[in-house]
């Protein structure tokens, strides 16, 4: 079977795998994963509740199955043939521990879901506007501030997993805006040190924060970007498969 996607929120934290049919592997705290990674190739395309596979070697997707969401590049001038974002949108600020602060936009009803998808620790809505065009214009303007960014890289999110938000810096930023709604998000990871970044699918699930899956194995916590798993063929460790890679261990695992 092959990893063809992931769901960090919504119907549950899961890996999507395709074999004879599309299946969901649970990623709730305490769940056990016992898979080795095989060859990696294009993950094909999800089609409703099904999946169409592809054997082209490019991963996670080949050029035929790489999709670009044009709205992500929007700065207020619609890139579609016809603008279709005519519903209330939220402009929000998100905090990633300890002191990375991001501006973003989403449909107003999706605000908390969007914050969780990104793995934010805090979030506030600062504008409510009637459509996506106005929201993107506001976002583009705010992203020019030196204390705000519009994208947080995965490595920075990994580094933040065992730290706390600098509340003084966060509240100082919020003092400059009218806060319409606040969200404090918890992911139940309970980490005392930063996980080691690895690409693996074996261990005890500690939790999921955004698209980062935290697994514990042999006393070490590993942070896995689930996008890095997409395209890999999985085999059960019980089948006798073994990984040739040596995994880096944290210092804490040696007592």
């Amino acid at each position: 079977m092959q990893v063809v996607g992931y769901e960090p929120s919504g119907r549950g934290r899961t890996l999507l795998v395709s074999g004879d049919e599309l299946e969901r592997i649970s990623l709730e705290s305490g769940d056990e994963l016992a898979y080795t990674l095989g060859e990696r190739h294009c993950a094909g395309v999800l089609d409703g509740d099904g999946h169409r596979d592809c054997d082209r070697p490019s991963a996670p997707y080949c050029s035929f199955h790489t999709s670009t969401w044009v709205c992500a590049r929007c700065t207020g001038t619609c890139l579609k043939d016809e603008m279709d974002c005519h519903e209330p949108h939220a402009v929000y600020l998100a905090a990633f521990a300890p002191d990375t602060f991001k501006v973003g936009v989403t449909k107003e009803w999706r605000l908390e879901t969007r914050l969780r998808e990104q793995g934010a620790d805090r979030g506030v809505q600062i504008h409510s506007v009637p459509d996506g065009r106005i929201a993107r214009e506001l976002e583009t303007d705010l992203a020019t501030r030196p204390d705000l960014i519009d994208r947080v890289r995965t490595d920075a999110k990994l580094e933040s997993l065992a730290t706390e938000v600098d509340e003084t810096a966060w509240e100082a930023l919020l003092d400059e805006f009218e806060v319409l709604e606040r969200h404090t998000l918890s992911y139940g990871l309970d980490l005392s040190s930063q996980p080691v970044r690895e690409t693996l699918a074996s261990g005890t699930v500690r939790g999921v924060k955004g698209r980062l899956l935290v697994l514990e194995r042999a006393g070490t916590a590993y942070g896995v970007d689930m996008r890095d798993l997409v395209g890999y063929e999985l085999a059960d460790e019980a089948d006798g498969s073994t990984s040739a890679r040596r995994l880096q261990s944290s210092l804490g695992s040696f007592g």
Side-chain angles (χ1 to χ4, degrees):
M1 57 184 174
Q2 183 190 26
V3 180
V4 297
Y6 53 89
E7 294 175 336
S9 60
R11 280 189 277 183
R13 299 167 179 85
T14 57
L15 284 179
L16 302 177
V17 297
S18 178
D20 295 334
E21 58 184 24
L22 189 65
E23 300 177 28
R24 287 175 169 81
I25 297 176
S26 173
L27 299 176
E28 298 299 326
S29 178
D31 287 342
E32 296 287 342
L33 301 184
Y35 302 99
T36 57
L37 304 182
E39 295 183 357
R40 194 183 190 201
H41 58 88
C42 177
V45 62
L46 295 170
D47 185 11
D49 290 329
H51 172 260
R52 286 184 283 126
D53 61 8
C54 175
D55 60 3
R56 294 182 180 90
S58 299
Y61 303 101
C62 69
S63 58
F64 293 95
H65 295 121
T66 298
S67 60
T68 301
W69 185 44
V70 296
C71 294
R73 303 200 309 270
C74 177
T75 59
T77 301
C78 190
L79 302 175
K80 295 181 177 180
D81 293 336
E82 183 176 353
M83 180 175 157
D84 60 2
C85 54
H86 300 285
E87 63 177 292
H89 277 63
V91 181
Y92 65 86
L93 303 179
F96 298 81
D99 56 3
T100 297
F101 306 134
K102 173 188 181 294
V103 59
V105 305
T106 187
K107 295 175 182 177
E108 201 163 61
W109 62 270
R110 289 195 82 250
L111 178 56
E112 183 174 357
T113 297
R114 183 62 185 139
L115 291 168
R116 287 192 177 278
E117 287 173 346
Q118 296 177 85
D121 297 294
R122 304 280 189 279
V124 298
Q125 181 178 351
I126 57 172
H127 292 292
S128 176
V129 296
D131 60 51
R133 178 185 62 80
I134 299 171
R136 287 296 187 185
E137 288 176 344
L138 290 168
E139 177 194 36
T140 300
D141 182 59
L142 286 168
T144 63
R145 291 175 51 124
D147 52 356
L148 289 174
I149 57 177
D150 59 5
R151 182 174 289 104
V152 182
R153 297 187 178 278
T154 300
D155 283 343
K157 293 180 181 181
L158 180 69
E159 292 170 2
S160 76
L161 287 179
T163 60
E164 299 293 331
V165 173
D166 183 336
E167 298 289 354
T168 301
W170 176 236
E171 292 299 329
L173 173 66
L174 298 188
D175 283 344
E176 301 184 43
F177 299 92
E178 180 183 359
V179 174
L180 305 179
E181 184 179 324
R182 284 178 177 258
H183 295 273
T184 298
L185 301 113
S186 176
Y187 303 89
L189 295 176
D190 191 27
L191 295 166
S192 59
S193 60
Q194 179 185 328
V196 178
R197 182 164 184 174
E198 278 286 0
T199 302
L200 75 162
S202 179
T204 303
V205 175
R206 291 283 294 268
V208 174
K209 187 178 183 184
R211 73 185 202 198
L212 287 175
L213 164 64
V214 180
L215 296 172
E216 185 169 332
R217 178 169 173 166
T220 294
Y222 295 98
V224 183
D225 183 347
M226 288 191 285
R227 182 176 169 80
D228 291 343
L229 293 176
V230 174
Y232 273 107
E233 297 285 349
L234 298 182
D236 290 327
E237 285 186 338
D239 293 341
S241 302
T242 57
S243 174
R245 281 191 308 122
R246 282 184 173 272
L247 299 179
Q248 181 181 348
S249 298
S250 67
L251 294 177
S253 66
F254 296 100

